[in-house]
Amino acid sequence: STEGTVEPMTRAQSREVCYAVRDAFYACLDANHDSAAACTSQLEAYKAGCMRSWVSSGVVMGAARGVQPCLGR
């Protein structure tokens, strides 16, 4: 029986979660003049809500806008 088990998120659900936390992080950067220090909780949510490779490519996109947040690898 599968009653009581939690279904893993689908790829589409994972993308939606990632996009939401990514957008919140970049909105915070925009609101705080690209200060990553002001957006640490959003960055942590971004790192927790997205695959590492997605976060890395997001940083590449951010660098194209002149933003280079520290990911604390």
Side-chain angles (χ1 to χ4, degrees):
S1 164
T2 60
E3 188 174 330
T5 62
V6 177
E7 292 294 322
M9 286 197 304
T10 66
R11 288 183 187 167
Q13 290 169 323
S14 294
R15 283 191 301 273
E16 290 299 318
V17 168
C18 180
Y19 296 161
V21 293
R22 175 205 62 195
D23 292 349
F25 173 60
Y26 283 110
C28 180
L29 289 176
D30 290 342
N32 289 285
H33 308 288
D34 291 332
S35 171
C39 302
T40 55
S41 64
Q42 291 85 352
L43 176 57
E44 290 305 314
Y46 182 29
K47 291 175 4 183
C50 298
M51 294 187 316
R52 176 178 260 170
S53 62
W54 291 3
V55 173
S56 296
S57 65
V59 170
V60 170
M61 292 181 345
R65 328 173 27 224
V67 177
Q68 295 188 12
C70 176
L71 294 180
R73 291 183 190 179

